[in-house]
Amino acid sequence: MKMILKKGVLIVIEGIDGAGKSTQAEILLDRLKAKGYEVAYFQEPSESKWGREIKKRALFPDSLSPDEELDLFLKDRRENVERNLKPALKEGKIVILDRYYYSTIAYQGAKGIDKEMIRKANEEFVVKPDLVFVLDIDAKRGLERIQDRKNKDKLFEREDYLVKVRKIFRNFKGENIVHIDALKPRDEISEEIEESILKYLHTFETNGVRLS
Ligand code: TMP
C-alpha cells in the first residue's frame, strides 16, 4: 500500500561525530519505505558548492575561522533548503535529514559564536522540522567509533571540542526534540525512532491530513 501524505514531514537526526546518525538514517529510510511511505534523504553539509568547500577545508586544522565556518554552513543550508528540502516536502515526502541548524548552534556555538544569534540567523529561512532526534554519546566513544574513517576532518573531530558540542546538543529542549542514548543497541534505537515518527504521523492523520 502506498501512503501519500498531503503535507511533507521533516525529520532531522543530530548528534556529535560517531553518534550513529547515518546508520540510523539508513535503517529509518528502509523501514518507512517498507511501510509504503515516499521518503527522501539529505545530508548537511550538502552537495552544494558550499558544502563541498566545507568538506575540503575540514581536512585541515584551523583552515577556517568560526565566522567563516558559520558563513559557509549558512550558504550551504540556504541552498539545501531551496533545492532539496522544499521540493521534496511539497511532494508530500518524509524527508530524513542528517544534520541541520542544530549542528550549527552546537558546533559553531562551541567555538564561541553566540548561540541565539546562530539560531535567529537560521530561523529566518529554514523549514522548521517536525521532529528532531538527538543521538547522545560521549565524545571519547563517539571518536572511537569513527577512528577508522579515511578522511578525518581536522576542524571538528577533536575530543575537547566535541565535549562542548555534546553539552550544547544535550541542552536542546522543545516539544519536537527527542533525546536518545546512542549507546543503546542499534535496533532498539531504530525502533524508538520509528515509533515516535509513526505516532507523530498518526496525530497528523487525525488532524485532517488524508493518507490514501
Ligand atoms: P558529517 O561528518 O556529518 O558529514 O559533518 C561534517 C562536520 O561538519 C561534522 O564534524 C560537523 C560539522 N558541522 C558543523 O560544524 N556545523 C554545521 O552546521 C554542520 C551541518 C556540520
Side-chain angles (χ1 to χ4, degrees):
M1 187 178 60
K2 208 164 173 172
M3 310 287 263
I4 299 164
L5 299 173
K6 274 200 174 163
K7 184 183 153 300
V9 172
L10 180 57
I11 309 289
V12 172
I13 307 187
E14 289 281 9
I16 65 165
D17 303 75
K21 296 179 303 302
S22 308
T23 308
Q24 287 302 330
E26 227 171 87
I27 299 174
L28 187 58
L29 264 151
D30 286 345
R31 288 186 172 207
L32 293 173
K33 271 188 206 160
K35 288 212 149 53
Y37 290 103
E38 291 273 328
V39 288
Y41 171 70
F42 300 105
Q43 277 175 305
E44 288 191 7
S46 79
E47 290 305 319
S48 78
K49 72 171 180 183
W50 310 111
R52 290 199 305 272
E53 173 80 13
I54 294 167
K55 285 179 212 166
K56 208 167 70 191
R57 300 281 202 110
L59 297 174
F60 305 97
D62 303 321
S63 57
L64 292 168
S65 71
D67 285 327
E68 286 169 329
E69 281 176 22
L70 176 63
D71 183 54
L72 281 176
F73 280 114
L74 284 172
K75 284 182 170 139
D76 180 48
R77 181 157 307 121
R78 278 184 197 276
E79 203 157 317
N80 189 38
V81 168
E82 293 305 320
R83 281 218 183 154
N84 301 324
L85 306 188
K86 284 186 180 169
L89 291 168
K90 210 167 159 194
E91 288 171 18
K93 290 184 179 162
I94 299 182
V95 176
I96 313 294
L97 180 56
D98 188 337
R99 293 197 187 281
Y100 205 25
Y101 66 102
Y102 304 87
S103 276
T104 321
I105 297 172
Y107 281 82
Q108 279 61 57
K111 288 195 176 178
I113 302 189
D114 184 77
K115 297 193 281 295
E116 259 324 288
M117 187 277 274
I118 301 175
R119 178 188 293 280
K120 283 195 187 123
N122 277 279
E123 289 183 347
E124 273 172 20
F125 70 91
V126 295
V127 179
K128 284 280 193 78
D130 291 86
L131 287 174
V132 182
F133 294 95
V134 183
L135 301 183
D136 179 56
I137 189 166
D138 60 276
K140 190 165 182 288
R141 265 185 271 198
L143 283 172
E144 273 166 17
R145 284 188 181 180
I146 56 170
Q147 65 186 357
D148 297 334
R149 275 191 203 161
K150 252 202 313 222
N151 291 331
K152 288 204 186 315
D153 85 48
K154 306 276 193 311
L155 272 180
F156 309 112
E157 293 172 6
R158 298 190 321 259
E159 188 176 334
D160 54 341
Y161 173 54
L162 289 180
V163 166
K164 294 186 197 156
V165 176
R166 177 197 191 198
K167 203 168 162 200
I168 300 174
F169 271 130
R170 282 170 74 106
N171 276 325
F172 285 125
K173 291 184 187 78
E175 58 175 21
N176 64 344
I177 309 267
V178 184
H179 291 275
I180 293 182
D181 176 1
L183 288 176
K184 286 199 291 201
R186 198 189 68 170
D187 293 343
E188 208 176 298
I189 296 175
S190 56
E191 264 157 41
E192 194 177 330
I193 293 178
E194 186 188 1
E195 214 171 277
S196 299
I197 294 175
L198 294 178
K199 207 166 116 199
Y200 179 78
L201 291 176
H202 180 71
T203 36
F204 210 67
E205 186 183 4
T206 49
N207 282 340
V209 178
R210 191 173 57 87
L211 298 170
S212 56

